[in-house]
Each structure stands twice: as C-alpha cells, then as structure tokens.
C-alpha cells in the first residue's frame, strides 16, 4: 500500500505519505469549518505539497460528512462544516488532483481497522470515532455497510437517553450532541467555563475538577449505551474506539464501566483502534487501491 492520503475532520485535517502500508510522513493543520469546497481543497493541496505529492499519484481522501454515490459531500451536522451542503467533491478532486478515491472518515477507518487492526478477528464489527462529532463505520462479514446516500453508519445521530439539546443535524438529543467534542465544549460553557475545548475539559477532569469529570463521564455513558444499542441491532462481536476523545487516557475505561451495567448479552467487547489516529488515512488509500482508480 503506497501513495497519499488525507483525513479531513471537523477540527483538524491530516495528510500523509504512505509507503508499504506505513505512514512515512505526516502533516496536519486546523480545519476551517466555515470554508467552502475550493478553500478546503486549497488547504488539502498545501498539506499534500509539503509531502512531495504530485498530481496523478495514488490519493485517498476521507472526510467528515456523508458522501453520496454521486460523489457529493454534505455535512450531516451543519454546525461542524457550515458551507458543505451537497458540493461536488469527487468531481472537484478528480479535476484538481486526478486519480482520487473519497469516502466518509469513520467508514474508511472501520475498513482499515477491520482488515489491519482491532477488527481482524471480528465478523460483526463497528468502529466508533469520538472526535469533533461521533461517527461510525460497520463491517459485517468483511463487508462495509454503505448506502447510496452515504448516511449508513452515521451512528452519532441516533438518540441518547442523556440527550435533550437540538443537534446540528436538526435531530433532538443525539449521541453526538452529548458525547462529541463540540458537545463537550458546549457543556463546559454551560457549566461556566466558556471557550474551553474538549481537550482542556479532559485535562481539567484528570486534574480532579468535578465539573469536567461530570461532562467526560456523561460522554462515556452515552457511548456505552450506543455500543449496547448497536449490539442489539447488529449482534456486534467487537467495537473499536477511535478519535482524539475515544483514544484519550481513561476514556475507554469509563465507557467499559458504564457498559458493565448492561445485561451480559449487550456487553460487546471493546478496545482502542489499533491503527490509532491513522485508521482513516490508511482506509482512504486502501479504497483507492481497491477501486483501481
Ligand atoms: P477530527 O474531529 O478533526 O477528526 P480529533 O479526532 O482530533 O479530530 O477530534 C477533535 C476533538 O478532540 C476536539 O474536540 C478536541 O478538543 C478533542 N481532543 C483533541 N486532543 C484531545 C486529547 N488529548 N484529549 C481529549 N480530547 C482531545
Ligand atoms: C459527524 C459527521 C460524520 C463524521 C463524524 C466524525 C458531519 C460533518 N460529520 O457525525 O460524517 O463521520 O462526525 O467526524 O456531519 P469527526 O470530524 O468528528 O472525526
């Protein structure tokens, strides 16, 4: 597996040069959530240029948001990417870079984890990212679950018993509106700590601040319920957690503690994404090679 990959998330955009299935070089920068398609692609081009990319080289692109079978890109949570509303991403990538494959970040991460990481021994596998939002990818009997509208696997938009706020998707009380990084920052502001991002809430919680502990724990509880719900629907035998929040020290243990309160049948085995922050990058390039584009 060799070439270039991009992972455009709600908070950061990462790009990598991949050689023999390993990340050989990596660059990342903040994502501008208000940017339109052209500005997003300018940013991606800058990152790739610094890695020695030249047009025509194998390229896989993973993005937050849904990608329809028509190659259009639409934010589900419009609070995350406010100008991405059905823009023709696939056509724009092909015009600008040539030779690109594109898909949802969590769906691609799930494929990489299923083949090379935490889901290798699993038949009914879900990858969940707890990051800016809460995303997911499902791989059943080795096959990714996909839909023509690109929405399949968007598990962050099911409702949580802990939720009540209106989500940027328009739905009320979604898991994402309780557990994701944007939700955590909002909960901090509501608790009297404005301009505090999720990373800071986690370090406050580690330092013993009770307000921060409560917010982190609520996020973990919502993810545990989501794991049990998905297990009821799909008979999952393994869930991997990724994203900067999913992989933050202590978070997985908290999810496990909440999941331990579920009946045994719904207590799916959990673990960290084994490819860490690289699953979406590796999945995107793998998609490029599978498509033979
Ligand atoms: P993206 O959503 O762009 O893919 P991440 O997976 O890094 O990116 O998720 C971004 C969210 O994770 C932000 O809300 C950020 O504050 C939070 N975050 C970043 N680093 C950490 C950390 N070490 N511990 C907890 N939260 C973190
Ligand atoms: C949101 C949704 C998903 C994405 C997930 C994780 C948008 C813009 N994104 O649920 O498509 O997979 O977030 O994305 O609607 P991340 O940026 O948090 O990694």
């Amino acid at each position: 597996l060799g070439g270039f990959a991009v992972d455009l998330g709600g908070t950061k955009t990462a790009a990598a040069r991949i050689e023999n299935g390993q990340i050989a070089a990596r660059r990342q920068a903040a994502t501008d959530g208000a940017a339109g398609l052209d500005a997003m692609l300018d940013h991606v081009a800058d990152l790739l240029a610094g890695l020695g990319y030249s047009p025509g080289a194998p390229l896989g692109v993973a993005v937050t948001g849904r990608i329809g079978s028509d190659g259009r890109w639409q934010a589900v949570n419009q609070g995350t990417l406010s100008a991405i509303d059905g823009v023709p991403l696939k056509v724009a990538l092909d015009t600008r870079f040539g030779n690109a494959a594109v898909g949802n970040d969590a769906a691609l991460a799930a494929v990489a984890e299923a083949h090379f990481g935490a889901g290798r021994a699993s038949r009914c596998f879900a990858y969940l990212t707890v990051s800016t939002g809460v995303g997911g990818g499902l791989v059943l009997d080795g096959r990714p679950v996909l839909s023509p509208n690109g929405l399949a696997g968007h598990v962050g938009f099911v409702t949580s018993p802990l939720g009540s706020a209106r989500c940027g998707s328009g739905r009320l009380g979604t898991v994402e509106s309780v557990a994701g990084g944007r939700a955590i920052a909002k909960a901090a502001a509501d608790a009297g700590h404005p301009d505090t991002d999720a990373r800071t809430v986690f370090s406050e919680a580690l330092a013993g601040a009770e307000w921060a502990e409560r917010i982190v724990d609520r996020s973990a509880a919502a993810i545990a319920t989501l794991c049990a719900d998905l297990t009821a629907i799909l008979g999952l035998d393994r869930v991997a957690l990724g994203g900067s929040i999913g992989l933050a020290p202590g978070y997985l243990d908290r999810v496990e503690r909440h999941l331990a309160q579920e009946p045994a049948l719904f207590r799916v085995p959990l673990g960290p994404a084994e490819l860490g922050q690289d699953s979406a990058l590796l999945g995107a390039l793998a998609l490029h090679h599978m498509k033979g584009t």
Side-chain angles (χ1 to χ4, degrees), residues 15 22 26 48 78 103 106 141 143 257 269 282 289:
Q22 307 287 328
R26 181 191 177 104
L48 285 172
Q78 280 145 28
D141 275 327
R143 252 178 268 156
R257 258 179 267 141
L282 293 166
H289 286 286

Side-chain angles (χ1 to χ4, degrees), residues 79-107:
T80 304
L81 299 181
S82 57
I84 301 302
D85 54 358
V87 298
L89 177 59
K90 172 70 177 142
V91 168
L93 283 172
D94 287 348
T95 307
R96 208 160 156 156
F97 302 103
N99 214 12
V102 63
N104 171 261
D105 52 1

